[in-house]
Amino acid sequence: MAELARAANVDVSTVSRALSDSPLVKPETKAHVKSVAEDLGYQINVAARNLRRQSTQTLGIVVPIDPARGQTISDPFYLEMVGAISNAAAKRDYDLLLTIPQSDEKIAENRLLRSGKVDGLIVIGQAGRAERLNALASNTDRVVVWGGQMEDARYTIVGSDNVDGGRTAVRHLLASGRKRILFIGDTDLPEVALRYQGLTKAFEEKRLKHDRQLVLPLSFGAVNAIRDVADLIRSGAKFDAVFAASDVLAIAAIHAIKGEGRSVPEDISVIGYDNVGQAATSAPPLTTVDQNIALGGELLVDLLIKKIRGEKVTSRLTPTELIIRKSTI
């Protein structure tokens, strides 16, 4: 650094501040120092810097998938969320460490934090883990969770406005004349319960009541979703629309409906949730609720870094938007 200071004709402290992007250094001085550093091939000693700061400059991501339910890291939602978090972390000069717990008994969150490998944790999903996450929040404030808003949660949550998303989706179906709406999703999961709550609100606005018999409780990773929807059709269940708690479930429903000789959307309209990439390329292209995954990744990283710095933060919701495509009329 002293050599770089001599070459740039500035103080060592100015070099340090310029390379740290400090607002105390004029923009033209920063540009000059960085240009000289590039010419000299100067590299910051990251290990030494982190030791001095008592920071790893690394954030942990815990993806608590459940293989028993058919969930894998290749699920489009997980891939897009991890990608959004990665982009947000990179912009803030943070690395990521991804871990996938093999069972609920292995406390990956505590292990990562105690190991000193990460400065804080982002947990994607809260299914069946609310009590454990509350216990974790009692021990540390360096955790942010992607999930549904829960009144008894003691941890910071980032998630979409699931109630509004569900209500918007079902309003669209009701407006097109569809009233026998099959809801696909496990309402024991916080996010799914909120999406179903949005469905019931849309029905109540029309002074209607949703038939609880038209709820197919499939988890996000349901490997037999096509079979289960097909079985429901064969059983004689009458429905003219589907609102699925995820795009993956919605696309599976489309395959089942077409496999049973029905058409989408003429016979049965279908709406999903997430707006993952493959929603636009399904056949027909899927109408879905966009929960702004990119913004979600930004908020997760931003709030966690603020927590690491000791700042107070509050839970945040991302806005939802109905993306209308050809799977609905």
Side-chain angles (χ1 to χ4, degrees), residues 157-173:
I157 298 170
V158 173
S160 70
D161 190 336
N162 292 285
V163 174
D164 186 65
R167 178 168 48 197
T168 301
V170 177
R171 276 176 176 169
H172 179 66
L173 293 172

Side-chain angles (χ1 to χ4, degrees), residues 11-324:
D11 295 334
V12 171
S13 60
T14 301
V15 169
S16 178
R17 292 190 183 110
L19 295 179
S20 298
D21 209 24
S22 169
L24 299 176
V25 181
K26 295 179 180 178
E28 57 269 24
T29 303
K30 286 183 190 177
H32 172 61
V33 170
K34 291 178 180 179
S35 176
V36 174
E38 186 175 350
D39 290 342
L40 293 177
Y42 178 82
Q43 293 291 328
I44 295 174
N45 186 324
V46 176
R49 181 195 63 186
N50 290 345
L51 182 63
R52 184 176 68 255
R53 294 179 176 175
Q54 293 187 320
S55 167
T56 66
Q57 284 295 111
T58 301
L59 304 178
I61 303 182
V62 178
V63 184
I65 61 176
D66 185 354
R69 294 184 176 182
Q71 291 181 301
T72 69
I73 191 63
S74 63
D75 181 291
F77 169 75
Y78 284 134
L79 291 179
E80 294 196 16
M81 180 55 78
V82 170
I85 294 170
S86 298
N87 290 336
K91 286 192 289 188
R92 295 162 176 79
D93 293 325
Y94 272 83
D95 294 322
L96 295 176
L97 180 62
L98 174 68
T99 185
I100 302 174
Q102 294 304 302
S103 70
D104 285 343
E105 287 72 34
K106 294 186 177 180
I107 313 299
E109 298 94 336
N110 278 325
R111 178 171 54 80
L112 267 180
L113 285 173
R114 289 173 180 171
S115 71
K117 294 179 180 178
V118 299
D119 294 336
L121 287 180
I122 293 170
V123 182
I124 304 177
Q126 60 199 145
R129 301 159 63 84
E131 184 177 340
R132 187 164 131 185
L133 289 169
N134 274 334
L136 181 67
S138 299
N139 296 324
T140 178
D141 195 36
R142 293 180 293 145
V143 177
V144 179
V145 179
W146 173 268
Q149 297 294 312
M150 300 174 64
E151 291 183 1
D152 59 346
R154 297 195 295 272
Y155 48 90
T156 302
I157 298 170
V158 173
S160 70
D161 190 336
N162 292 285
V163 174
D164 186 65
R167 178 168 48 197
T168 301
V170 177
R171 276 176 176 169
H172 179 66
L173 293 172
L174 292 172
S176 67
R178 306 300 169 108
K179 295 181 180 179
R180 298 284 297 170
I181 300 173
L182 173 66
F183 180 80
I184 303 178
D186 184 356
T187 54
D188 285 338
L189 305 178
E191 290 168 286
V192 178
L194 292 170
R195 291 168 197 178
Y196 183 72
Q197 183 181 334
L199 176 150
T200 60
K201 285 182 178 294
F203 268 76
E204 289 166 2
E205 290 172 355
K206 295 289 186 181
R207 297 186 177 179
L208 300 171
K209 187 174 181 180
H210 185 251
D211 184 356
R212 281 291 303 185
Q213 297 297 314
L214 291 177
V215 175
L216 189 59
L218 300 181
S219 64
F220 285 127
V223 292
N224 297 317
I226 296 176
R227 182 201 67 191
D228 292 344
V229 175
D231 286 347
L232 190 66
I233 295 172
R234 292 184 198 128
S235 74
K238 303 296 182 183
F239 55 93
D240 53 17
V242 170
F243 173 39
S246 77
D247 287 345
V248 171
L249 290 173
I251 292 170
I254 289 175
H255 284 297
I257 293 165
K258 292 168 69 175
E260 292 303 306
R262 312 288 179 86
S263 61
V264 177
E266 290 78 11
D267 295 326
I268 301 174
S269 293
V270 180
I271 294 182
Y273 202 105
D274 287 334
N275 195 27
V276 297
Q278 70 187 75
T281 59
S282 67
L286 180 66
T287 296
T288 183
V289 178
D290 187 332
Q291 58 177 335
N292 207 327
I293 292 174
L295 176 59
E298 287 281 342
L299 289 173
L300 286 165
V301 172
D302 184 55
L303 294 186
L304 181 55
I305 291 176
K306 286 180 177 177
K307 279 174 165 283
I308 292 168
R309 293 172 178 166
E311 300 176 30
K312 294 211 177 276
V313 303
T314 57
S315 295
R316 297 282 300 276
L317 289 178
T318 64
T320 56
E321 178 185 3
L322 184 65
I323 308 298
I324 300 175

